[in-house]
């Protein structure tokens, strides 16, 4: 143990010591081959939004990747949130760049006039009567409120308010569709606080015996100036704006955590952040107060005061004590619901009842009524027009899920209990309908609900829609996707037709109307192939087993025109992301479909099929822990079994040259990659992007590991490739964003692993992408990442020198 802690201490010192990089290579941004650039620049897949009455669709398009200049726009990082201080909007959001209305009945499209010259729309919100559509337009200096008159197909700015869109904007229509509630920038906010050039004193935090473990959060508050900035930018004014632009301010400016208007519009559930702010946890764990206001903004009832949640156990099923998950029942006029932990919020406590679900109706003067005792954690609920409820509870540790049906005035019935890992037996998600007041309600017809799911099966995903009787559980399958198409049911329209999204290996996703009686299809959209030059690349879902019998799968892509007899075995890239399971049966389930559109991506290595590689994309890497065993108890051993199995599958198919195989992954996949290179000689090269490699820097758990460093220091050392860097002799390309915001994957993780490998004589290259976060957004960054990847693999895999086999 003494030797182990000396090793851990050395690792910590190396990770916090000065970084002496080798001589930098000044290349500027590079681009890969033209066929790869065309993949990156291909039009993103369009999307659509259905009106509440089910008669209209808004077809939406998205822009290509932003430029590095876009990423260089102002950005503040406070309390775990990144935002643009110039317009009080999110940083580099995925915004809508085009809109078009489609009448579902006539299949006629209409253009929308009056839209901003450069549309950057987020937060679409239909009015309950389907006559209007509100959205937030992100301009350079403010986030504006806009609305579309659907009948006139005309857009215009709605009032002169500037929306505070840091947390999304909080748009909510009134029940009568005549007004909208929004969080706005206070009119008298004043100038941004300016930091003093001279420190006023040290920043001091302390702990006096109170247990307060925390994961490795990023972008936390650091000092009083950060606190001042946080208060300045996060404070919002709740307003109600009418269709004729009358503005009503509700309450005082607050740092809102959330706002929800009651279904009858007579009350407002407002949650606001309280001081003192924390430097240890993000804003989602700050102290807050939830209270009910009347529709003029006056306090009617205090629901809860929660202190800062910095002392929760590390376990994923741990929760705060007191009232939480507070909301309005969507099926009632003004009835609150909430959950309370009955086990002190600590999963380690052995009790029969974990959570209790309560409700309280206006005027909030009676005692709260208990709806249900739960043996797991409350997840969410859905309400129906008849006053019934469906309630979900789950327990992450055992992957258990229960779903209850609560008929109005009757005892609760257990609808199903299952493992959330068991995709093959997933009953599905209920369809919803929109009530006249805009509330989303459970769709119940003749005592039955409709359920849709991806329909995972041994032959791949086959989406379906079922009709299930609530009283008896009797289930009728109304329709199931059939080969050679992948078709997902979206909803049942008022006409009785099924709205679906349909695709095949050669046809991009489009929206269709399906007649359930005769199977007739009507196309609503026609999307051209976004990258015709890739159509010859083959895509196949393959199944194989690892040595201990666990079934596995991967998506195999092969170059256009590839002929096994002529071209022989190919250089191969395996791309994966390890996932933990509590059962071998769940780990072996197939989770893809051979009939999805063969859109060649650039984020995973599918683009390498254009460069003569066989690509095993999304190869399953199950890490199984059954019974008393935790998955990570045998993490390395199972990784090796997984890697051996996928290589053997490729060799058996005749497409993989076992002497020319690379392994790669992003985030936890990068962690996997470094471990495989440290503990096997299976690969010729590795690509590790935005990973974490020294687990002593994430001491209070990582990924799905709930044990801390002090619970099991040997585990942390064994699983950290940093402590085995002397074994990494296979060439490893490390890529990381300089501004990574993901918990645990600090840029320092890649810098220190690079130093460790280099210091031990290994072959490695470190590429730090300026301004990039955990995922890379700028076109220049993405193209350079692909250029680095191709060059690395060509040198060390495709053109690898293979030693001839010497006969004994």
């Amino acid at each position: 143990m003494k030797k182990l802690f000396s090793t851990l201490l050395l690792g910590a010192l190396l990770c916090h010591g000065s970084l002496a990089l080798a001589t930098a290579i000044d290349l500027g941004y590079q681009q890969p081959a033209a066929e790869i650039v065309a993949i990156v620049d291909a039009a993103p897949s369009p999307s659509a939004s259905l009106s509440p009455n089910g008669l209209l669709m808004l077809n939406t398009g998205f822009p290509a990747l932003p430029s590095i200049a876009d990423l260089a726009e102002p950005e503040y990082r406070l309390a775990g949130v990144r935002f643009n201080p110039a317009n009080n909007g999110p940083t580099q959001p995925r915004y809508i760049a085009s809109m078009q209305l489609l009448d579902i009945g006539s299949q006629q499209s209409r253009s929308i006039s009056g839209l901003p010259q450069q549309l950057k729309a987020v937060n679409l919100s239909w009015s309950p009567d389907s006559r209007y559509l509100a959205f937030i337009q992100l301009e350079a200096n403010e986030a504006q409120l806009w609305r579309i008159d659907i009948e006139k197909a005309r857009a215009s700015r709605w009032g002169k308010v500037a929306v505070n869109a840091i947390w999304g904007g909080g748009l909510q229509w009134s029940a009568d569709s005549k007004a909208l509630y929004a969080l706005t920038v206070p009119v008298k906010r004043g100038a941004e606080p300016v930091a003093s050039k001279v420190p006023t004193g040290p920043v001091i935090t302390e702990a006096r015996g109170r247990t307060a473990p925390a994961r490795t959060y990023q972008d936390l508050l650091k000092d009083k100036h950060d606190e001042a900035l946080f208060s300045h930018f996060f404070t919002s004014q709740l307003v109600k704006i009418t269709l004729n632009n009358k503005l009503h301010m509700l309450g005082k400016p607050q740092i809102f955590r959330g706002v929800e208007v009651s279904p009858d519009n007579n009350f407002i559930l407002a949650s606001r952040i309280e001081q003192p702010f924390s430097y240890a946890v993000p804003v989602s764990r700050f102290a807050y107060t939830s209270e009910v206001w009347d529709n003029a903004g006056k306090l009617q009832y205090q629901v809860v005061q929660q202190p800062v949640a910095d002392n929760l156990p590390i376990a994923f099923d741990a929760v705060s004590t007191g009232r939480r998950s507070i909301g309005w029942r969507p099926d009632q006029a003004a009835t609150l619901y909430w959950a309370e932990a009955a086990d002190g919020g600590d999963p380690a406590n052995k009790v029969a009842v974990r959570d209790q679900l309560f409700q309280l109706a206006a005027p909030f003067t009676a005692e709260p009524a208990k709806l249900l005792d739960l043996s797991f954690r409350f997840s969410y609920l859905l309400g129906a027009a008849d006053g019934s409820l469906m309630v979900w509870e789950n327990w992450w540790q055992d992957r258990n899920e229960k779903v209850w049906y609560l008929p109005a005035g009757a005892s609760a019935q257990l609808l199903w209990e299952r493992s959330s890992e068991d995709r093959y037996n997933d009953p599905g998600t209920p369809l919803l309908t929109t009530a006249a007041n805009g509330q989303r309600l459970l769709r119940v017809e003749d005592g039955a609900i409709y359920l849709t799911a991806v329909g995972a099966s041994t032959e791949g995903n086959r989406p379906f829609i079922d009709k299930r009787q609530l009283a008896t559980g009797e289930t009728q399958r109304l329709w199931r996707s059939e080969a050679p198409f992948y078709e997902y049911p979206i909803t049942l329209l008022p006409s009785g037709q099924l709205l679906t999204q349909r695709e095949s290996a050669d046809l991009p996703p489009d929206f269709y109307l399906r007649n359930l009686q005769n199977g007739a299809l009507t196309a609503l959209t026609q999307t051209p192939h976004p990258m015709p030059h890739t159509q010859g690349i083959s895509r196949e879902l393959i199944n194989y087993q690892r040595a201990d019998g666990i079934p596995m799968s991967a998506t195999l892509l092969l170059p256009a025109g590839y002929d096994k007899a002529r071209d022989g075995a190919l250089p191969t890239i395996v791309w994966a992301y390890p996932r933990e399971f509590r059962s071998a049966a769940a780990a072996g389930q197939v989770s893809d479909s051979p009939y999805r559109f063969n859109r060649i991506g650039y984020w995973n290595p599918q683009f390498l099929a254009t460069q003569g590689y066989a690509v095993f994309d999304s190869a399953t890497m199950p890490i199984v822990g059954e019974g008393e065993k935790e998955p990570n108890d045998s993490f390395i051993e199972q990784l090796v079994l997984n890697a051996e199995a996928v290589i053997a599958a490729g060799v058996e198919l005749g497409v993989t040259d076992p002497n020319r195989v690379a392994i790669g992954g992003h985030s936890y996949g990068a962690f996997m990659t470094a471990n495989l290179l440290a503990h096997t000689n299976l690969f010729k090269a590795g690509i590790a992007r935005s990973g974490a490699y020294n687990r002593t820097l994430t001491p209070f758990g990582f990924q799905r590991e709930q044990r801390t460093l002090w619970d099991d220091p040997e585990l942390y050392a064994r699983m950290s490739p940093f402590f085995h860097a002397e074994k990494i002799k296979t060439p490893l390309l490390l890529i990381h964003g300089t501004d990574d915001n993901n918990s645990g994957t600090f840029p320092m993780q890649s810098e220190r692993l690079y130093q460790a490998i280099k210091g031990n004589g290994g072959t490695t290259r470190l590429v730090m992408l300026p301004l990039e976060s955990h995922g890379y957004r700028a076109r220049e960054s993405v193209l350079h990442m692909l250029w680095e990847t191709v060059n690395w693999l060509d040198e060390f895999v495709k053109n690898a020198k293979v030693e001839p086999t010497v006969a004994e």
Side-chain angles (χ1 to χ4, degrees), residues 330-331 380-384 388-392 430 432 440-442:
D331 58 315
Y380 65 99
L381 63 76
L382 295 173
S388 62
L389 293 174
M390 282 182 69
V391 178
W392 277 256
L432 303 181
R440 297 290 286 165
L441 299 179
L442 191 65

Side-chain angles (χ1 to χ4, degrees), residues 578 632 635-637 639-640 643 663 667-683 688 692-695 702 715-725 727-728 732 753 757:
N632 285 340
F635 180 83
I636 302 298
E637 295 81 357
L639 274 189
V640 175
I663 181 71
S667 193
Y668 208 53
F671 174 71
M672 167 206 72
T673 297
N675 265 311
L676 283 171
L677 297 194
H679 298 288
T680 76
N681 292 312
L682 296 170
F683 302 99
Y693 310 104
N694 181 349
R695 287 305 173 188
F702 56 89
L715 173 76
Y716 275 67
R718 185 170 68 250
M719 289 183 64
S720 295
F722 179 84
F723 292 116
H724 306 279
K727 304 174 189 174
I728 301 178
L732 176 61
L753 182 61
I757 296 172

Side-chain angles (χ1 to χ4, degrees), residues 30-43 64-65 530-535 537 573 599-613 615 689 778-794 798:
Q30 300 294 309
Q31 292 192 4
E35 60 268 23
I36 299 178
V37 175
I39 291 172
V40 173
D41 290 340
L65 292 177
M531 48 187 82
H533 70 290
T534 67
Q535 286 184 279
I537 295 173
I573 174 76
R599 182 185 178 109
I600 304 302
Y602 59 81
W603 188 246
N604 284 13
Q606 298 171 358
F607 68 94
L608 287 169
T610 68
Q611 305 302 299
Y613 288 83
V615 179
R689 300 189 326 221
R779 181 176 183 271
E780 293 89 340
S781 301
V782 169
L783 291 176
H784 188 88
M785 172 191 76
L786 303 181
W787 179 83
E788 293 278 2
T789 300
V790 171
N791 286 352
W792 194 258
L793 295 179
D794 281 356
K798 181 185 286 187

Side-chain angles (χ1 to χ4, degrees), residues 432-479:
L432 303 181
T433 186
T434 304
N437 62 357
Q439 296 296 312
R440 297 290 286 165
L441 299 179
L442 191 65
R443 184 167 180 166
V444 181
E445 297 176 3
D446 301 323
I449 58 174
Y450 298 93
L451 297 164
T452 63
V454 297
S457 71
T458 55
E459 57 193 287
N461 293 344
R462 292 183 58 192
F464 64 78
I465 180 168
D466 285 351
K467 186 175 184 179
R468 180 184 177 117
Q469 295 294 328
L470 288 167
T472 66
E474 180 184 352
T475 301
Q476 174 190 3
R477 179 137 300 170
L478 302 181
W479 173 82

Side-chain angles (χ1 to χ4, degrees), residues 360-539:
L360 179 63
F364 318 109
T365 54
E367 286 296 312
K370 185 168 67 175
L371 286 169
L372 199 60
D373 284 329
L374 303 172
S375 54
F376 304 144
R377 289 285 178 240
F378 170 72
S379 182
Y380 65 99
L381 63 76
L382 295 173
D386 62 4
S388 62
L389 293 174
M390 282 182 69
V391 178
W392 277 256
E393 57 171 316
N394 59 63
W395 193 247
W396 184 88
Q397 179 64 33
D398 297 323
R399 314 300 198 268
N400 286 329
E401 175 188 87
K402 288 184 181 179
V403 179
W404 297 88
Y405 175 56
L406 280 69
S411 300
Q413 306 169 21
L414 183 63
L415 288 183
W416 63 76
E417 182 175 5
R418 58 182 291 270
S419 167
S420 59
E421 290 183 333
D422 184 4
R423 296 184 293 267
Y424 288 178
N425 293 297
D426 181 6
T429 302
L431 289 186
L432 303 181
T433 186
T434 304
N437 62 357
Q439 296 296 312
R440 297 290 286 165
L441 299 179
L442 191 65
R443 184 167 180 166
V444 181
E445 297 176 3
D446 301 323
I449 58 174
Y450 298 93
L451 297 164
T452 63
V454 297
S457 71
T458 55
E459 57 193 287
N461 293 344
R462 292 183 58 192
F464 64 78
I465 180 168
D466 285 351
K467 186 175 184 179
R468 180 184 177 117
Q469 295 294 328
L470 288 167
T472 66
E474 180 184 352
T475 301
Q476 174 190 3
R477 179 137 300 170
L478 302 181
W479 173 82
R480 189 183 189 191
S481 181
E482 297 288 346
F485 295 96
Y486 179 89
E487 188 172 357
Y488 191 85
I490 297 173
T491 192
L492 282 169
L493 297 173
S495 63
Q497 293 177 296
L498 184 64
L499 177 65
T500 72
Q501 191 171 36
R502 188 174 193 244
E503 60 191 275
S504 70
D506 298 321
L507 296 174
D510 272 307
F511 294 97
Y512 287 82
L513 293 179
R514 174 174 285 278
N515 187 311
L516 291 177
Q517 302 303 316
N518 58 23
L521 278 173
T522 303
L524 296 176
T525 59
Q526 291 183 321
T527 303
H529 198 293
M531 48 187 82
H533 70 290
T534 67
Q535 286 184 279
I537 295 173
S538 66
R539 178 180 184 271

Side-chain angles (χ1 to χ4, degrees), residues 231-272:
S231 294
H232 177 82
F233 283 104
F234 281 71
T235 296
S236 301
Q237 172 67 58
L238 178 61
V239 303
K240 178 181 179 181
I241 183 169
T242 65
L243 292 176
N244 59 2
N245 293 341
K246 289 185 178 179
L247 196 66
H248 304 276
M249 296 188 180
L250 305 174
K252 299 182 299 182
Q254 317 265 355
I255 304 178
F256 286 101
R257 191 173 189 263
V259 174
E260 185 181 358
V261 183
S262 64
D264 65 2
N265 280 193
N266 289 329
F267 300 97
I268 298 166
L269 175 62
S271 296
R272 49 187 171 83

